[in-house]
Amino acid sequence: MSDTTILLVEDEVQIRRLVRTALEDEGHHVLECGTLKEGMAHLHADTIQLLILDLGLPDGDGIVFIRELRTQFLLSVLVLSARSAEGEKIRALDAGANDYLTKPFSTGELLARVRAQLRHVPQEVATAETHFHFGDIEVDLAQRSVTRSGELLRLTPIEYRLLCAMLAAPGKVLTYRHLLRAVWGNAFVESNHYLRIYVSHLRQKLEDDPAQPRFFVTETGVGYRLDI
């Protein structure tokens, strides 16, 4: 058994069995599940080097899932989907997928693509920190909760993804393009006004004085820094 752990998120049991058997025959440790919720739980609980992800899952959009995990984790993502349209492939790759394989597929090609991805993944990849505390704010990524003085805050999905993107590199200046790509995708990297609006939303909800932010700091002409 190798030191590589692969997470397979696929709701079709027969495909899951086929892929798992092929990967285990190559010596990989395989974790598997059939929903995005279970997949995110594995990402927070285990050290994963490669995610193999179906897009058509019962509890959500796989492309949105890729975009969200890209704000929190460093790992390769191989999409395994019946969606063969060029537009779907572009959306997945723009969201942060590393490769895209359409169904039906041969196990030989699947394993070749897995080997290609693992050649570029450092073995020391680890799960991200899941709990943050700054001021009277607590963020628990594993539970997807944000509280202020113990009271649960309601963040929109975009506000939450932006917060996660900034928590991935606290104290570092993140450029407009980096944040736009992480939250909205490559098609929006010039849409700085989106970013200004949602940073303002986070300040309103998480800062004591939104007009003089302590945590969500503007680096004029460059981007933003989460100072915690």
Side-chain angles (χ1 to χ4, degrees):
M1 185 71 69
S2 73
D3 293 330
T4 302
T5 298
I6 297 174
L7 173 61
L8 172 62
V9 183
E10 164 66 65
D11 64 330
E12 294 186 48
V13 176
Q14 288 183 330
I15 293 179
R16 210 160 67 215
R17 186 181 301 120
L18 171 69
V19 173
R20 177 169 190 156
T21 299
L23 293 172
E24 289 183 338
D25 286 347
E26 290 275 296
H28 301 300
H29 176 55
V30 181
L31 301 172
E32 62 174 90
C33 59
T35 66
L36 296 175
K37 182 178 180 180
E38 292 172 300
M40 186 60 77
H42 277 299
L43 287 170
H44 281 294
D46 302 286
T47 301
I48 310 294
Q49 282 76 39
L50 174 66
L51 168 65
I52 300 178
L53 176 70
D54 182 20
L55 297 181
L57 292 159
D59 61 335
D61 183 351
I63 290 176
V64 173
F65 182 79
I66 294 170
R67 193 172 292 133
E68 181 176 334
L69 73 86
R70 275 288 172 245
T71 69
Q72 304 176 54
F73 300 97
L74 191 66
L75 78 165
S76 285
V77 178
L78 169 59
V79 170
L80 191 62
S81 176
R83 302 177 188 175
S84 58
E86 182 183 17
E88 289 294 328
K89 296 178 183 179
I90 291 171
R91 287 181 64 219
L93 294 169
D94 279 347
N98 298 91
D99 198 2
Y100 195 111
L101 181 60
T102 56
K103 303 174 184 176
F105 58 90
S106 72
T107 56
E109 182 178 5
L110 170 68
L111 293 173
R113 289 175 183 253
V114 166
R115 289 192 294 269
Q117 290 305 315
L118 292 177
R119 282 197 293 270
H120 304 292
V121 176
Q123 292 303 304
E124 67 271 15
V125 166
T127 55
E129 185 178 352
T130 61
H131 191 271
F132 298 85
H133 184 279
F134 52 99
D136 57 358
I137 304 297
E138 289 194 40
V139 181
D140 188 334
L141 298 179
Q143 298 298 319
R144 297 176 59 84
S145 67
V146 182
T147 59
R148 184 170 188 174
S149 299
E151 294 189 10
L152 188 66
L153 294 178
R154 294 184 180 276
L155 300 186
T156 68
I158 290 178
E159 290 167 356
Y160 183 76
R161 289 204 299 271
L162 177 57
L163 177 60
C164 288
M166 299 184 78
L167 285 169
K172 295 183 179 180
V173 178
L174 301 176
T175 66
Y176 301 126
R177 290 177 66 87
H178 173 87
L179 290 170
L180 287 163
R181 183 180 293 112
V183 178
W184 285 275
N186 285 343
F188 295 86
V189 294
E190 303 297 335
S191 304
N192 291 358
H193 60 287
Y194 285 175
L195 198 52
R196 288 193 295 270
I197 290 168
Y198 282 95
V199 168
S200 175
H201 290 177
L202 288 178
R203 286 170 173 165
Q204 291 292 331
K205 293 182 178 183
L206 303 180
E207 295 275 9
D208 291 331
D209 183 357
Q212 297 183 348
R214 173 185 171 191
F215 304 116
F216 297 89
V217 179
T218 299
E219 295 291 341
T220 304
V222 180
Y224 296 95
R225 181 181 78 250
L226 182 59
D227 196 0
I228 62 175

